[in-house]
Amino acid sequence: MGRIYTLLFLVMAIWGFNLSALVILVNNIEPITLTSVRIFVAGISVLIISKIIGIFRLPTRQEWKTIFIITIFNVAFHHTLLAIGLTSTSGVNAGIILGAAPLVTMVLSIILLHDKVSRLRAVGFIFGFIGIMITSLAGAEGLSSISYGDLMIFLSMLMQAFSFILISKLNPTFDPRLLTGYMLVLGSGFIFIVSLIVEGNVTQLTKLFSFKLGIIFLFSAIMATAFGHMTYNYAIKNVGPTETTIFVNLNTLFALLGTAIFLGEPILRNHYFGLVFILLGIFIGSGTLEYVLRKRRLRS
């Protein structure tokens, strides 16, 4: 369990820094077209890694159906709606809405999986969300009015949260890391079709052959998307969607740090207050506090 939590911490750091990478990339290439190619490269990378570590196999007909359903929610709907939403809303609104993912996943787990979440851990999820709000609103003029983009971001987050429930119910004989590869490759096809309809300019991808953009793209595709989603989906299957998604709160922290380092944006005092709530939320919501208290009771 400790090893999985350590890997999740690393993935959240990579995902947080990936925000800065994506900001640079989408300033040069249309977002949906970029997303389709990034996810395709990531999917191929995952399948190659799966072959190397000896978990690669072809899915059965029933497993293909499961993969297709999860792909629709986890890759096609989530990434397409996210790309569209980010063009029509503020970063403040998007940060707060995406920060609600652990709470939404917890609610879906209770409703669909009949998970039992203690009051103490529920408090941890709320603390984490408060931290997201404080961090996202730091230095902003305030939360702007609800927009079409906000709805797209919310639907994107909801689609991903629902996919986490589906992944946790996947046949245990099918490795979730291999599932990630098939999902990404299949999903990239859906997103590419959307990009042709909405953007229709694939020649812009030649910009990725420049050294700087190429390196940034490979980091985003292989480290953030391939390694990140392999690890994350593996954690969902082994420790559950509720426990795993609480770590998503760390995204805001590392995204903030990344924008300060790579984009030169300032870190304000409220960011530190938000950090305290985020760390408290993870400590309580992941069950670590309950484990410590239980251990102390056994010793006494």
Side-chain angles (χ1 to χ4, degrees), residues 4-298:
I4 292 179
Y5 284 167
T6 300
L7 286 172
L8 280 173
F9 185 88
L10 176 61
V11 167
M12 292 308 115
I14 293 173
W15 281 359
F17 291 145
N18 186 49
L19 176 63
S20 298
L22 289 175
V23 168
I24 295 172
L25 290 170
V26 298
N27 282 334
N28 292 273
I29 301 171
E30 293 286 352
I32 301 179
T33 300
L34 172 70
T35 299
S36 67
V37 178
R38 177 173 59 86
I39 291 177
F40 176 76
V41 171
I44 295 298
S45 300
V46 171
L47 293 179
I48 292 173
I49 294 171
S50 299
K51 182 68 175 178
I52 293 172
I53 63 178
I55 62 172
F56 179 84
R57 69 172 176 83
L58 294 176
T60 64
R61 181 176 299 181
Q62 183 60 41
E63 287 170 340
W64 270 122
K65 294 178 182 178
T66 304
I67 292 170
F68 180 81
I69 293 172
I70 297 176
T71 297
I72 292 297
F73 291 98
N74 186 272
V75 182
F77 281 165
H78 169 63
H79 286 282
T80 302
L81 291 170
L82 182 63
I84 294 172
L86 286 174
T87 64
S88 306
T89 188
S90 67
V92 171
N93 289 31
I96 292 175
I97 294 169
L98 292 173
L103 285 174
V104 173
T105 305
M106 179 182 71
V107 172
L108 289 178
S109 296
I110 294 172
I111 295 173
L112 301 176
L113 301 180
H114 306 294
D115 282 356
K116 294 182 179 179
V117 179
S118 67
R119 292 180 181 178
L120 186 60
R121 292 182 65 187
V123 169
F125 279 84
I126 295 172
F127 273 12
F129 182 58
I130 291 174
I132 293 291
M133 290 191 66
I134 293 174
T135 304
S136 298
L137 289 170
E141 296 179 356
L143 188 63
S144 59
S145 59
I146 301 300
S147 66
Y148 168 77
D150 296 328
L151 176 61
M152 294 298 102
I153 297 292
F154 175 78
L155 290 175
S156 167
M157 180 268 291
L158 183 63
M159 293 299 100
Q160 188 180 48
F162 182 66
S163 75
F164 294 156
I165 306 300
L166 294 176
I167 291 172
S168 71
K169 297 295 288 182
L170 185 71
N171 189 324
T173 61
F174 196 81
D175 195 294
R177 293 168 293 183
L178 181 57
L179 163 72
T180 303
Y182 286 119
M183 276 188 353
L184 292 174
V185 172
L186 186 60
S188 67
F190 288 111
I191 298 174
F192 183 70
I193 293 173
V194 173
S195 74
L196 291 177
I197 298 171
V198 176
E199 297 167 351
N201 181 17
V202 295
T203 60
Q204 61 188 306
L205 293 173
T206 56
K207 295 179 182 179
L208 293 177
F209 290 106
S210 71
F211 180 77
K212 179 182 177 181
L213 287 182
I215 292 296
I216 295 173
F217 174 79
L218 290 176
F219 164 78
S220 181
I222 297 176
M223 292 301 298
T225 308
F227 171 76
H229 283 279
M230 273 187 84
T231 304
Y232 195 83
N233 291 339
Y234 180 76
I236 289 174
K237 186 62 181 177
N238 285 273
V239 301
T242 303
E243 291 82 354
T244 304
T245 51
I246 189 63
F247 282 85
V248 171
N249 290 329
L250 280 172
N251 264 349
T252 300
L253 165 65
F254 286 113
L256 175 67
L257 185 60
T259 55
I261 295 173
F262 301 112
L263 304 179
E265 296 185 5
I267 297 179
L268 306 175
R269 183 175 62 181
N270 281 356
H271 289 144
Y272 294 105
F273 288 130
L275 170 61
V276 172
F277 277 96
I278 289 172
L279 293 179
L280 278 174
I282 292 172
F283 181 69
I284 299 172
S286 64
T288 304
L289 179 58
E290 287 184 341
Y291 173 78
V292 171
L293 294 176
R294 193 184 310 118
K295 203 169 183 180
R296 284 187 176 181
R297 285 197 297 267
L298 291 174

